[in-house]
Amino acid sequence: MANSIIISYPGETPVPIRLSYSIEMAENVQTINCCVDEKHFPIWLQLRKFALLSLKDKNNYTPLFNEVNNSKNMATSLFIDLAYTDIMHAEKFKVLEPA
C-alpha cells in the first residue's frame, strides 16, 4: 500500500492505529483500500482490511454505503467512519455534506 496514516480512535484511552491505504479510481468511483498495520490491535476492531467507496462529481466526493464495513460491531463501524474522514482530510479531498 502506498500511503499510511495514524487513526486515533477516541474513548477513555485513545488508541492510535496505523493504517496503510491505496486509492484507486474507476470512472467516477473512488475506492480507498485500507489495511491495519498493527501486529497487536484492539479486540473490538473486527476487520483488518476494508474498502471505502466514494462517488466523485467534479471535485467533490460523496461517500457510498458499504454494507461489509457495517456488518461487525459498532466500534469497528465508527473506526471505519473515522478512517474515511481522516484519510479524505489528509488527501485534501472535499466531501459533500448530506443534504
Side-chain angles (χ1 to χ4, degrees), residues 35-51:
C35 180
V36 176
D37 272 354
E38 304 288 334
K39 290 182 181 175
H40 304 286
F41 55 94
I43 200 161
W44 54 260
L45 186 54
Q46 296 180 337
L47 290 175
R48 289 184 57 97
K49 293 183 179 184
F50 53 91

PDB file of all heavy atoms in Angstrom, residues 35-51:
ATOM      1  N   CYS A  35      -5.684  -1.251   5.173  1.00  0.00           N
ATOM      2  CA  CYS A  35      -5.185  -2.419   5.892  1.00  0.00           C
ATOM      3  C   CYS A  35      -4.577  -1.946   7.211  1.00  0.00           C
ATOM      4  O   CYS A  35      -3.756  -1.026   7.221  1.00  0.00           O
ATOM      5  CB  CYS A  35      -4.147  -3.138   5.039  1.00  0.00           C
ATOM      6  SG  CYS A  35      -3.465  -4.596   5.838  1.00  0.00           S
ATOM      7  N   VAL A  36      -4.983  -2.556   8.305  1.00  0.00           N
ATOM      8  CA  VAL A  36      -4.431  -2.214   9.621  1.00  0.00           C
ATOM      9  C   VAL A  36      -3.014  -2.764   9.707  1.00  0.00           C
ATOM     10  O   VAL A  36      -2.781  -3.947   9.460  1.00  0.00           O
ATOM     11  CB  VAL A  36      -5.304  -2.796  10.757  1.00  0.00           C
ATOM     12  CG1 VAL A  36      -4.688  -2.532  12.119  1.00  0.00           C
ATOM     13  CG2 VAL A  36      -6.712  -2.230  10.674  1.00  0.00           C
ATOM     14  N   ASP A  37      -2.058  -1.883  10.017  1.00  0.00           N
ATOM     15  CA  ASP A  37      -0.643  -2.235  10.035  1.00  0.00           C
ATOM     16  C   ASP A  37      -0.111  -2.626  11.413  1.00  0.00           C
ATOM     17  O   ASP A  37       1.081  -2.590  11.636  1.00  0.00           O
ATOM     18  CB  ASP A  37       0.197  -1.053   9.537  1.00  0.00           C
ATOM     19  CG  ASP A  37       0.368  -1.061   8.041  1.00  0.00           C
ATOM     20  OD1 ASP A  37      -0.054  -2.038   7.403  1.00  0.00           O
ATOM     21  OD2 ASP A  37       0.927  -0.086   7.520  1.00  0.00           O
ATOM     22  N   GLU A  38      -0.965  -2.949  12.317  1.00  0.00           N
ATOM     23  CA  GLU A  38      -0.545  -3.275  13.683  1.00  0.00           C
ATOM     24  C   GLU A  38      -0.494  -4.787  13.875  1.00  0.00           C
ATOM     25  O   GLU A  38      -1.389  -5.501  13.448  1.00  0.00           O
ATOM     26  CB  GLU A  38      -1.530  -2.677  14.694  1.00  0.00           C
ATOM     27  CG  GLU A  38      -1.728  -1.180  14.582  1.00  0.00           C
ATOM     28  CD  GLU A  38      -0.535  -0.388  15.062  1.00  0.00           C
ATOM     29  OE1 GLU A  38       0.239  -0.886  15.901  1.00  0.00           O
ATOM     30  OE2 GLU A  38      -0.369   0.741  14.580  1.00  0.00           O
ATOM     31  N   LYS A  39       0.568  -5.254  14.539  1.00  0.00           N
ATOM     32  CA  LYS A  39       0.625  -6.678  14.881  1.00  0.00           C
ATOM     33  C   LYS A  39      -0.357  -6.982  15.997  1.00  0.00           C
ATOM     34  O   LYS A  39      -0.988  -8.024  16.023  1.00  0.00           O
ATOM     35  CB  LYS A  39       2.042  -7.064  15.289  1.00  0.00           C
ATOM     36  CG  LYS A  39       3.005  -7.052  14.137  1.00  0.00           C
ATOM     37  CD  LYS A  39       4.380  -7.471  14.557  1.00  0.00           C
ATOM     38  CE  LYS A  39       5.301  -7.410  13.347  1.00  0.00           C
ATOM     39  NZ  LYS A  39       6.677  -7.677  13.670  1.00  0.00           N
ATOM     40  N   HIS A  40      -0.458  -6.050  16.933  1.00  0.00           N
ATOM     41  CA  HIS A  40      -1.403  -6.184  18.038  1.00  0.00           C
ATOM     42  C   HIS A  40      -2.380  -5.028  17.920  1.00  0.00           C
ATOM     43  O   HIS A  40      -1.979  -3.878  17.946  1.00  0.00           O
ATOM     44  CB  HIS A  40      -0.677  -6.130  19.389  1.00  0.00           C
ATOM     45  CG  HIS A  40       0.413  -7.154  19.505  1.00  0.00           C
ATOM     46  ND1 HIS A  40       0.146  -8.486  19.693  1.00  0.00           N
ATOM     47  CD2 HIS A  40       1.752  -7.048  19.419  1.00  0.00           C
ATOM     48  CE1 HIS A  40       1.293  -9.157  19.731  1.00  0.00           C
ATOM     49  NE2 HIS A  40       2.277  -8.302  19.563  1.00  0.00           N
ATOM     50  N   PHE A  41      -3.633  -5.353  17.761  1.00  0.00           N
ATOM     51  CA  PHE A  41      -4.641  -4.309  17.616  1.00  0.00           C
ATOM     52  C   PHE A  41      -5.782  -4.604  18.569  1.00  0.00           C
ATOM     53  O   PHE A  41      -5.928  -5.731  19.053  1.00  0.00           O
ATOM     54  CB  PHE A  41      -5.117  -4.184  16.156  1.00  0.00           C
ATOM     55  CG  PHE A  41      -5.632  -5.448  15.556  1.00  0.00           C
ATOM     56  CD1 PHE A  41      -6.982  -5.739  15.582  1.00  0.00           C
ATOM     57  CD2 PHE A  41      -4.765  -6.346  14.962  1.00  0.00           C
ATOM     58  CE1 PHE A  41      -7.460  -6.907  15.029  1.00  0.00           C
ATOM     59  CE2 PHE A  41      -5.236  -7.523  14.398  1.00  0.00           C
ATOM     60  CZ  PHE A  41      -6.593  -7.803  14.438  1.00  0.00           C
ATOM     61  N   PRO A  42      -6.599  -3.604  18.865  1.00  0.00           N
ATOM     62  CA  PRO A  42      -7.675  -3.789  19.850  1.00  0.00           C
ATOM     63  C   PRO A  42      -8.628  -4.914  19.456  1.00  0.00           C
ATOM     64  O   PRO A  42      -8.915  -5.116  18.279  1.00  0.00           O
ATOM     65  CB  PRO A  42      -8.407  -2.444  19.839  1.00  0.00           C
ATOM     66  CG  PRO A  42      -7.492  -1.486  19.183  1.00  0.00           C
ATOM     67  CD  PRO A  42      -6.585  -2.262  18.300  1.00  0.00           C
ATOM     68  N   ILE A  43      -9.122  -5.605  20.450  1.00  0.00           N
ATOM     69  CA  ILE A  43     -10.014  -6.738  20.217  1.00  0.00           C
ATOM     70  C   ILE A  43     -11.320  -6.294  19.571  1.00  0.00           C
ATOM     71  O   ILE A  43     -11.942  -7.055  18.830  1.00  0.00           O
ATOM     72  CB  ILE A  43     -10.248  -7.524  21.522  1.00  0.00           C
ATOM     73  CG1 ILE A  43     -10.728  -8.914  21.194  1.00  0.00           C
ATOM     74  CG2 ILE A  43     -11.186  -6.813  22.441  1.00  0.00           C
ATOM     75  CD1 ILE A  43     -10.555  -9.906  22.309  1.00  0.00           C
ATOM     76  N   TRP A  44     -11.752  -5.045  19.803  1.00  0.00           N
ATOM     77  CA  TRP A  44     -13.001  -4.561  19.233  1.00  0.00           C
ATOM     78  C   TRP A  44     -12.901  -4.341  17.723  1.00  0.00           C
ATOM     79  O   TRP A  44     -13.919  -4.296  17.042  1.00  0.00           O
ATOM     80  CB  TRP A  44     -13.463  -3.274  19.910  1.00  0.00           C
ATOM     81  CG  TRP A  44     -12.443  -2.169  19.936  1.00  0.00           C
ATOM     82  CD1 TRP A  44     -11.648  -1.837  20.990  1.00  0.00           C
ATOM     83  CD2 TRP A  44     -12.100  -1.272  18.873  1.00  0.00           C
ATOM     84  NE1 TRP A  44     -10.828  -0.785  20.648  1.00  0.00           N
ATOM     85  CE2 TRP A  44     -11.085  -0.419  19.353  1.00  0.00           C
ATOM     86  CE3 TRP A  44     -12.543  -1.102  17.563  1.00  0.00           C
ATOM     87  CZ2 TRP A  44     -10.516   0.577  18.584  1.00  0.00           C
ATOM     88  CZ3 TRP A  44     -11.966  -0.109  16.777  1.00  0.00           C
ATOM     89  CH2 TRP A  44     -10.980   0.720  17.291  1.00  0.00           C
ATOM     90  N   LEU A  45     -11.684  -4.208  17.205  1.00  0.00           N
ATOM     91  CA  LEU A  45     -11.506  -3.968  15.771  1.00  0.00           C
ATOM     92  C   LEU A  45     -11.586  -5.304  15.040  1.00  0.00           C
ATOM     93  O   LEU A  45     -10.647  -6.079  15.029  1.00  0.00           O
ATOM     94  CB  LEU A  45     -10.171  -3.270  15.511  1.00  0.00           C
ATOM     95  CG  LEU A  45      -9.914  -2.825  14.073  1.00  0.00           C
ATOM     96  CD1 LEU A  45     -11.039  -1.949  13.549  1.00  0.00           C
ATOM     97  CD2 LEU A  45      -8.586  -2.101  13.977  1.00  0.00           C
ATOM     98  N   GLN A  46     -12.734  -5.580  14.425  1.00  0.00           N
ATOM     99  CA  GLN A  46     -13.001  -6.894  13.855  1.00  0.00           C
ATOM    100  C   GLN A  46     -12.649  -7.026  12.381  1.00  0.00           C
ATOM    101  O   GLN A  46     -12.816  -8.087  11.806  1.00  0.00           O
ATOM    102  CB  GLN A  46     -14.462  -7.262  14.083  1.00  0.00           C
ATOM    103  CG  GLN A  46     -14.779  -7.402  15.555  1.00  0.00           C
ATOM    104  CD  GLN A  46     -16.227  -7.777  15.792  1.00  0.00           C
ATOM    105  OE1 GLN A  46     -17.096  -7.547  14.968  1.00  0.00           O
ATOM    106  NE2 GLN A  46     -16.487  -8.350  16.956  1.00  0.00           N
ATOM    107  N   LEU A  47     -12.185  -5.955  11.742  1.00  0.00           N
ATOM    108  CA  LEU A  47     -11.746  -6.021  10.347  1.00  0.00           C
ATOM    109  C   LEU A  47     -10.323  -5.481  10.242  1.00  0.00           C
ATOM    110  O   LEU A  47     -10.041  -4.396  10.716  1.00  0.00           O
ATOM    111  CB  LEU A  47     -12.657  -5.171   9.438  1.00  0.00           C
ATOM    112  CG  LEU A  47     -14.069  -5.650   9.195  1.00  0.00           C
ATOM    113  CD1 LEU A  47     -14.839  -4.612   8.375  1.00  0.00           C
ATOM    114  CD2 LEU A  47     -14.077  -6.976   8.475  1.00  0.00           C
ATOM    115  N   ARG A  48      -9.443  -6.242   9.622  1.00  0.00           N
ATOM    116  CA  ARG A  48      -8.083  -5.744   9.380  1.00  0.00           C
ATOM    117  C   ARG A  48      -7.970  -5.104   8.009  1.00  0.00           C
ATOM    118  O   ARG A  48      -7.104  -4.292   7.766  1.00  0.00           O
ATOM    119  CB  ARG A  48      -7.069  -6.877   9.501  1.00  0.00           C
ATOM    120  CG  ARG A  48      -6.873  -7.339  10.938  1.00  0.00           C
ATOM    121  CD  ARG A  48      -5.804  -8.389  11.067  1.00  0.00           C
ATOM    122  NE  ARG A  48      -4.515  -7.990  10.553  1.00  0.00           N
ATOM    123  CZ  ARG A  48      -3.520  -7.505  11.280  1.00  0.00           C
ATOM    124  NH1 ARG A  48      -3.681  -7.329  12.562  1.00  0.00           N
ATOM    125  NH2 ARG A  48      -2.373  -7.196  10.726  1.00  0.00           N
ATOM    126  N   LYS A  49      -8.847  -5.508   7.079  1.00  0.00           N
ATOM    127  CA  LYS A  49      -8.870  -4.937   5.729  1.00  0.00           C
ATOM    128  C   LYS A  49     -10.290  -4.501   5.409  1.00  0.00           C
ATOM    129  O   LYS A  49     -11.238  -5.210   5.719  1.00  0.00           O
ATOM    130  CB  LYS A  49      -8.404  -5.957   4.690  1.00  0.00           C
ATOM    131  CG  LYS A  49      -6.952  -6.330   4.820  1.00  0.00           C
ATOM    132  CD  LYS A  49      -6.540  -7.278   3.721  1.00  0.00           C
ATOM    133  CE  LYS A  49      -5.060  -7.604   3.869  1.00  0.00           C
ATOM    134  NZ  LYS A  49      -4.581  -8.451   2.778  1.00  0.00           N
ATOM    135  N   PHE A  50     -10.399  -3.324   4.794  1.00  0.00           N
ATOM    136  CA  PHE A  50     -11.713  -2.830   4.394  1.00  0.00           C
ATOM    137  C   PHE A  50     -11.540  -1.825   3.260  1.00  0.00           C
ATOM    138  O   PHE A  50     -10.443  -1.322   3.023  1.00  0.00           O
ATOM    139  CB  PHE A  50     -12.474  -2.215   5.584  1.00  0.00           C
ATOM    140  CG  PHE A  50     -11.725  -1.156   6.335  1.00  0.00           C
ATOM    141  CD1 PHE A  50     -11.841   0.182   5.991  1.00  0.00           C
ATOM    142  CD2 PHE A  50     -10.906  -1.490   7.401  1.00  0.00           C
ATOM    143  CE1 PHE A  50     -11.163   1.167   6.691  1.00  0.00           C
ATOM    144  CE2 PHE A  50     -10.216  -0.519   8.113  1.00  0.00           C
ATOM    145  CZ  PHE A  50     -10.346   0.815   7.754  1.00  0.00           C
ATOM    146  N   ALA A  51     -12.640  -1.579   2.547  1.00  0.00           N
ATOM    147  CA  ALA A  51     -12.634  -0.644   1.422  1.00  0.00           C
ATOM    148  C   ALA A  51     -13.645   0.467   1.688  1.00  0.00           C
ATOM    149  O   ALA A  51     -14.737   0.229   2.195  1.00  0.00           O
ATOM    150  CB  ALA A  51     -12.979  -1.365   0.134  1.00  0.00           C
TER     151      ALA A  51
END
